[in-house]
Amino acid sequence: MLYVKNLHKSYQVGKNKYEVLKGIDFHVGKGEFVAVMGPSGSGKTTLLNCISCYIPFDQGEITIGGARLAGQSESELAKLRNTQIGFVFQDFMLLDGLTIRENILVPRIVQGEVSEEAQELADKLTGLFGISHIVNKYPAEISGGEKQRAAVARSLINNPLIILADEPTGNLDSKSSRAVIESFGEARERMGATIFMVTHDSFAASFCDRVVLLKDGSIYRQLENNGERGSFHDKLLAAIKEMAE
Amino acid sequence: MEQIFTLKKMERKLQHADRKHARLYLFCNFTALMIISAYSGMMLSPTVQKAFPTGGDSRKQMNAIFMLTLIGCVVFTVYAASLFFRHKSGQLGILMALGASRRRLIPGLFREVLLLSGLSSVAGTLAGFPFIWVIWTGFRLIMIDSSDMKLSFDFRCLLISLAFLLVVVAFSCLTAWRYLRRTNIMEVIREEHINEPVKELGKWCAPVGGILIALGVLAGYFMPVIYMRKFNTLSPVWLSALYLPALAGLYMVMLHAVVHGFRSYKRNPYKNIIARSMMKFQGKQTVNNMIVVTLLIAGACFGIFYIPIISVGAMMGYDAQPFDYFYHCRADQAMPEKEDIDALAGEYGLSLKDWGEYDYITLGFGNYGDVMEEDGEHWHTEYAPISGEEMAISEEAWNRLTGEEIDVLPGTYLCITNREETSLYVNTNARHLTNMVTRTQLSTQCAGLLHYDLLGGDRQCRVLDQGDYEKLSEGLTDDWKGTLTAFNVEGEDSYPFANALFRRLIASNGEDCFTSKEYSRVTSILAREEGKEDWQERESERSFMYVDPKEADSIVFRQNWKYKPSFRILSQNDFLLSTSVFLMMFLFIFIVCILTALIICHTRCQTIALNNRYIFDDLKKLGASPAFLKREVDSQCGGVFKVPALVGMVAIYLIFILLLYGNDGRIAFSEVMALAVCLGIELVLGGLIYGVYRFTARGIRRKLGIGGN
């Protein structure tokens, strides 16, 4: 589904060049729920932004559903973002001037038309994530958890190949965080969604099938969840502690 | 509720939701265009064009301040557009992140930009005309109404507004395109929250900036003069670039104000730290805005200073006039006799006293002049024995007129100047005096100066030895001879009498007497004799060389007529009338510049504070008292208002002192008085700016929900 090979990315700040990603290699299979964790500055968000074609990368290869990102034109990348990728941002990124239902349908509106099927899907998603009662409200009128669930619904409206989530629980309380993670679970189970999530939250990561630990721009280790969430959480905490030493 | 299912409808809904941000953009565009259209409308109106002499200092000042206002408005609209698009970029970024391509977004975005900038620009351009009308009518109702003050427009001024409108629209489209073509979508999304800190320089930048301002002004002002003297040719345009260090200096002073402030925080480094940080992190735009505001306030002062500079000296001069009535006329004209004037005075219940008539003659005088070289660019100075015409009186006439007892040596003359020796017309270089009828020529030289305001201002006159005077008078025809008449009235003077006598004098003069004080019959004769064209008769010059008696109330006639009388009561009462268009224009410039400056300051303060609303909210949560928050808001606004106001006003005051000194190498008493009035104006202006600052700070505190107003 998602292949990342020898990915390099650096930033130029004044005269200094900072290499943020130093040859990352990994893949995410169809229907997998994978998290990336690591300390601040390890390159998690940069990795995600490169995968989602929000920022250009220097070297390497990213393939989503067989399509290589490098060398694609701006409009091809836009189409890819629209149809193949669903994105969930830390600060929701809902448009303040639109209702929740309209926000969920934005990726379809951007395509040019909103079919009956899309509207039915929007209704199904709002029902699935427990936000049917707020579809006609505006972002300013609802809670952070509800906003993020709306954002998850938006990311699924085009049946994308993969959902990329950047710290989706970063701005939420524990109850809302759990609701958002559960909505990812619902999306995977009911719609077969593939999810790639960057997070600081080990509790959220413990729901994943696999966790990639990043340190200083390189993969430190990958941990597999063998089924029991609690023990995977403990394993994760131990690995994080080890990485910090 | 209507559901949005097309991109176009969605964009329309988002635009509706963004109307608060659009309102600021519309307001800034509207105001800038209104100001530009009003200024250009005024500047190019036939009324103003007629009153302001071509190539004159006043016209140059008007044009220079227009350029300044134009720059101010450009910065102003660019700033408004960048604010609008900074906000808009968040929306664009989200849509791009969700897969909207550039091609999909361009039509909607450009439609919005064109609609907003087009509508506001057209509305602003049209609003400029009622704006002029309101100020013009107000001026006529409250201050002065004269025949010169008929409002008329040359609608070619709209071309300037159109050019500006195109710049505004083009810039807006360019900004929109700049955001769309970015490859880093995250940057587009976060644009609104990105700070714009300035590069910090050390604390040396304020003093160095001050020195650069002084150097720039001095070099820009004096170097062209030095160049002309040194190379005997007009100074090249590039020499104006010597003013540029002043702009760099101004930037450094403003940078210092934004980054460090002018107070010492050594004892209490945390004082006003919030306001200082906010200023610093919004630094780039703040510094740019402050520079523009400084220039606009300087422009406003420059405009308003014109009024005291021309009026104080004139009013003091009228008060000090030794005679209520003083005029001169040629002997070949049918001038009213004493009996006629007596009778006229009687009609107004007045009687005359101190009547005196003094003969004068008009002679050709030698002088140095600039002679253009064959290359048409350089010149050299050359003495010509007959250069122009001037009046001369005998020592006997002088003694009778002034009550002094002077004795002019044969072969010499004494030049008459005004008491403050500010007259521009005194020619002490003449070594030859010529009877222009018989061509009798006398070698002579200047033996010194005499002081008499009524003969030493616009009238160019000198006193000759009695014998020389009689020798040069021999054979002169009546058109080269004339009489100076002076008298006072018993008791309180009457304006209607003065006005009636003025009209009588106009009626008594023949057609060939209606020339301007610049016109010289000697120049005309010399041109004829040398078979050259008399440049005074060129079509382009005629309007400056001749006056029309039918326009006796016009500025041009009252200021330029060669035989204009000096009637104290008429001058005092009609001073405003005869300078009304000048006063109106400079008052208008003042209003426009101040208005623009205050709007920029107000908008900038609002933006800084409201963009940082979350800081105030956080501070409230941390327990900051309303008094503390009030102090921070006041401090932040204070920097934006006070520093440019102070720098602009002080700089322009010093420049005015320099200009007055530069005129004749000294500052006369009337100029000191005018400067005192200017200082008073600056204090009032300072009060006005302070009032708007308080108003702005109060509004921001209200919006931020900070108590203790």
Side-chain angles (χ1 to χ4, degrees), chain B residues 19 24 270 286 321 354 438 527 539 562 599 692 705:
Chain B
R19 59 192 182 281
L24 179 71
Y270 299 107
T286 308
Q321 248 177 246
D354 310 324
T438 62
E539 203 48 48
K562 195 175 194 81
I599 290 172
V692 177

Side-chain angles (χ1 to χ4, degrees), chain A residues 54-55 81-82 102 110 138, chain B residues 13 96 98 104 184-185:
Chain A
Y54 292 163
I55 59 172
R81 273 197 297 271
N82 183 246
E102 288 160 354
V110 162
Y138 286 88
Chain B
K13 189 167 182 189
M96 285 160 85
L98 295 176
R104 295 280 294 152
N184 189 333
I185 294 176

Side-chain angles (χ1 to χ4, degrees), chain B residues 420-424 659-668 671:
Chain B
E420 294 192 315
E421 297 187 3
T422 52
S423 172
L424 302 172
L659 290 176
L660 292 178
Y661 182 80
N663 278 342
D664 49 11
R666 66 199 184 87
I667 296 178
E671 291 169 339

Side-chain angles (χ1 to χ4, degrees), chain A residues 8-232:
Chain A
H8 287 264
K9 170 73 187 172
S10 54
Y11 290 110
Q12 189 85 34
V13 181
K15 287 177 184 170
N16 300 322
K17 196 173 181 182
Y18 297 98
E19 196 173 12
V20 184
L21 299 178
K22 302 168 182 168
I24 302 280
D25 287 288
F26 71 92
H27 87 277
V28 177
K30 184 167 167 48
E32 243 192 318
F33 186 3
V34 177
V36 178
M37 292 189 76
S40 297
S42 59
K44 305 182 296 292
T45 299
T46 301
L47 172 65
L48 199 71
N49 286 338
C50 288
I51 295 170
S52 47
C53 345
Y54 292 163
I55 59 172
F57 50 89
D58 304 338
Q59 191 190 324
E61 194 171 298
I62 301 173
T63 314
I64 298 177
R68 287 175 66 228
L69 298 192
Q72 298 225 30
S73 69
E74 190 271 336
S75 52
E76 284 167 342
L77 285 177
K79 194 172 176 192
L80 187 87
R81 273 197 297 271
N82 183 246
T83 56
Q84 314 284 315
I85 303 173
F87 206 94
V88 180
F89 300 88
Q90 181 179 1
D91 38 11
F92 328 123
M93 298 286 179
L94 297 174
L95 293 165
D96 293 336
L98 303 181
T99 64
I100 295 305
R101 185 184 165 82
E102 288 160 354
N103 262 294
I104 292 170
L105 286 166
V106 164
R108 285 294 179 102
I109 296 172
V110 162
Q111 277 179 8
E113 59 177 81
V114 178
S115 60
E116 285 288 324
E117 167 265 323
Q119 294 181 53
E120 282 168 16
L121 180 59
D123 292 338
K124 185 180 155 192
L125 289 168
T126 53
L128 187 65
F129 301 136
I131 49 172
S132 303
H133 61 292
I134 52 157
V135 286
N136 288 324
K137 292 198 170 178
Y138 286 88
E141 299 168 339
I142 62 174
S143 72
E146 288 169 331
K147 281 182 199 169
Q148 198 59 300
R149 277 181 281 156
V152 175
R154 180 179 64 183
S155 71
L156 287 163
I157 195 72
N158 273 340
N159 294 312
L161 291 175
I162 189 165
I163 295 173
L164 303 174
D166 183 12
E167 302 275 12
T169 59
N171 278 348
L172 302 177
D173 58 52
S174 59
K175 195 178 162 197
S176 301
S177 297
R178 187 167 192 125
V180 168
I181 294 299
E182 282 171 358
S183 62
F184 280 135
E186 292 285 334
R188 191 164 69 129
E189 276 175 30
R190 305 267 191 98
M191 305 177 75
T194 306
I195 301 154
F196 183 69
M197 171 176 79
V198 161
T199 184
H200 263 113
D201 182 355
S202 59
F203 176 74
S206 68
F207 285 84
C208 297
D209 303 324
R210 185 154 54 96
V211 174
V212 178
L213 292 176
L214 271 191
K215 188 181 180 186
D216 299 331
S218 304
I219 293 179
Y220 176 74
R221 193 197 288 183
Q222 297 199 41
L223 299 172
E224 300 275 346
N225 184 350
N226 294 323
E228 212 282 301
R229 197 197 64 78
S231 63
F232 183 58

Side-chain angles (χ1 to χ4, degrees), chain B residues 439-451:
Chain B
R439 296 302 165 100
T440 308
Q441 197 165 64
L442 192 75
S443 290
T444 183
Q445 62 178 22
C446 178
L449 293 173
L450 291 169
H451 299 89

